[in-house]
Amino acid sequence: MAILVTGGAGYIGSHTCIELLNRGYDVLAVDNFVNSKPEAVRRVGEICQKPLPFVELDIRNREGLQRLFCEHKIEAVIHFAGLKAVGESVSMPLEYYENNLIGTLTLCEVMRAAGCKKMVFSSSATVYGLHNPVPFTEEMPTSATNPYGYTKVMIEQILRDLCVADPEWSAVLLRYFNPIGAHESGKLGETPAGIPNNIFPYLSQVAVGKLPKLYVYGDDYDTPDGTGVRDYIHVCDLAEGHVAALDYCENHTGAQAINLGTGHGTSVLELRAAFEKAAGVPIPMEVTGRRPGDIATAYADTELARKLLGFTAKRNIEQMCTDGWNFIRQNPNGI
Ligand code: NAD
Ligand code: WQD
């Protein structure tokens, strides 16, 4: 019985495939490489010393998916495939809704027809919107401020409705906070195309000399040092969280949202200082205005993940920065 991983060549998907392969799962990964490269698939195999079974496929391709479910006995799906850039989603809303929603609906329909009714879905802390108090707990109201965020809110709802309509379904809606860092081998990490939007890949590129300085988006927030506070979680901890969620999915039905974070907030200035220390290089910075849509502080209540999944993130900010630096140093131009 195989675990199908959609978006398996992507940043979080590839790290999760490593965790699954290392734990002896039978894995089948698919990706259309819209935001990743075949080299990531090869490197997963290199790290695990066994090839990652992989099919190049767009999950909106119904016939392709059906073939996959016919040829393999798939017991559960970890569904990462989706477009994820917030700014791009504002300028290309139709592409985001089409890819993320149609992709997920097609996948769910094919799963249902094949009798596979277990899914671990990549949701996001973005669903907590602008107005909830920290720490964010899973029962808080959800909302969004951009098309990307709306796709997560909508897909969560679709999966909840599906679980109500058919009590055999099980869906774990994992709300990731801010995944950063890289595999300890330095072979795999995040390689965004163009100029990064998120702070960690941006910092990494400044550290390695590809960008001149970090622009800090506001130092007048109501936070201890005035800069934005986020709950950064090591991508390898996140990968371990997915395996725990898969176990949960095997033994429970219904839809369940669960935060994956550390429960600790780190400011932009603290993250920069930790990266400087790990890399041993200075990271020049300039404070600019706030970025529209940003909130001051976001961090997870991690109690439910501990209780339901037995999951607690193990790696600290220093480890995240050390591994991230190790990766960018070895792969300054991506993989
Ligand atoms: P990523 O872009 O590295 O990985 C997503 C993968 O999906 C890519 O390899 C891409 O090529 C693939 N893909 C996209 N559309 C596809 C389609 N129609 N068919 C097949 N493959 C397709 O992103 P990531 O950071 O690894 O994120 C994985 C998931 O987690 C996404 O759903 C994302 O929205 C979610 N998420 C990410 C973060 C984050 O900060 N990285 C935070 C919260 C949630
Ligand atoms: C973190 C902090 C910025 C860049 C985004 C998505 C969210 C989720 C994770 C997918 C903030 C500051 C950033 C820079 C900066 N993704 N910053 N200079 O905004 O918490 O979340 O990624 O679901 O949906 O919105 O992450 O890394 O962009 O920002 O000062 O060049 O760093 O203001 O305080 P964010 P981020």
Side-chain angles (χ1 to χ4, degrees):
M1 293 285 269
I3 306 301
L4 176 65
V5 180
T6 74
Y11 174 47
I12 308 170
S14 58
H15 287 81
T16 302
C17 285
I18 291 176
E19 191 61 27
L20 290 167
L21 285 175
N22 283 344
R23 294 203 195 195
Y25 282 88
D26 184 4
V27 184
L28 175 62
V30 298
D31 204 298
N32 66 355
F33 298 125
V34 66
N35 195 37
S36 54
K37 303 235 176 76
E39 176 63 8
V41 176
R42 200 194 62 74
R43 290 196 186 188
V44 170
E46 190 180 316
I47 290 166
C48 297
Q49 297 182 324
K50 56 181 156 191
L52 171 64
F54 181 84
V55 176
E56 184 173 345
L57 180 74
D58 189 310
I59 57 162
R60 291 165 296 177
N61 175 349
R62 183 182 301 269
E63 289 71 34
L65 268 183
Q66 283 167 336
R67 207 172 316 122
L68 221 60
F69 276 84
C70 275
E71 288 169 1
H72 302 265
K73 189 93 193 93
I74 294 169
E75 66 172 312
V77 178
I78 308 185
H79 177 31
F80 294 102
L83 299 174
K84 65 158 183 177
V86 170
E88 189 180 67
S89 80
V90 175
S91 52
M92 300 168 59
L94 296 183
E95 284 78 2
Y96 269 67
Y97 286 118
E98 207 271 331
N99 189 70
N100 293 4
L101 296 181
I102 304 294
T104 303
L105 287 172
T106 308
L107 175 64
C108 288
E109 285 164 2
V110 173
M111 285 174 68
R112 180 177 60 182
C116 173
K117 299 180 178 180
K118 299 180 201 313
M119 179 185 282
V120 176
F121 171 63
S122 299
S123 188
S124 168
T126 197
V127 303
Y128 289 111
L130 300 179
H131 304 297
N132 283 309
V134 285
F136 296 150
T137 54
E138 287 82 352
E139 80 290 350
M140 284 176 173
T142 59
S143 64
T145 54
N146 55 72
Y148 166 71
Y150 276 112
T151 69
K152 295 299 181 193
V153 171
M154 289 176 187
I155 294 170
E156 282 202 0
Q157 190 59 48
I158 290 168
L159 294 174
R160 274 197 209 91
D161 292 343
L162 189 52
C163 290
V164 169
D166 181 349
E168 288 179 1
W169 269 87
S170 172
V172 183
L173 319 172
L174 292 179
R175 294 178 178 166
Y176 316 150
F177 279 67
N178 291 59
I180 62 169
H183 190 262
E184 61 182 4
S185 64
K187 291 182 200 291
L188 214 51
E190 191 177 14
T191 53
I195 296 187
N197 299 305
N198 297 120
I199 190 159
F200 198 80
Y202 201 105
L203 262 180
S204 307
Q205 293 204 10
V206 176
V208 88
K210 291 193 70 189
L211 289 169
K213 60 182 159 187
L214 171 71
Y215 293 96
V216 176
Y217 297 147
D219 65 354
D220 57 352
Y221 283 105
D222 183 15
T223 62
D225 65 20
T227 65
V229 167
R230 295 292 183 273
D231 186 341
Y232 299 99
I233 176 167
H234 197 297
V235 66
C236 294
D237 276 326
L238 209 56
E240 290 171 17
H242 283 78
V243 178
L246 202 54
D247 282 352
Y248 180 86
C249 220
E250 302 284 347
N251 300 309
H252 297 80
T253 52
Q256 181 66 58
I258 305 178
N259 290 337
L260 288 185
T262 64
H264 302 292
T266 302
S267 75
V268 171
L269 296 184
E270 286 169 339
L271 183 65
R272 167 177 172 261
F275 204 105
E276 282 185 325
K277 192 162 169 227
V281 298
I283 298 180
M285 60 163 247
E286 179 185 329
V287 177
T288 59
R290 293 182 178 191
R291 182 173 62 177
D294 272 357
I295 53 176
T297 305
Y299 56 90
D301 184 308
T302 57
E303 188 48 30
L304 200 63
R306 195 191 60 71
K307 204 170 105 195
L308 298 185
L309 307 182
F311 172 79
T312 311
K314 294 197 292 275
R315 299 162 178 89
N316 60 19
I317 283 285
E318 285 68 36
Q319 188 73 53
M320 301 180 211
C321 292
T322 301
D323 291 341
W325 169 242
N326 193 22
F327 171 72
I328 191 80
R329 223 163 26 109
Q330 292 183 45
N331 305 275
N333 299 314
I335 59 174

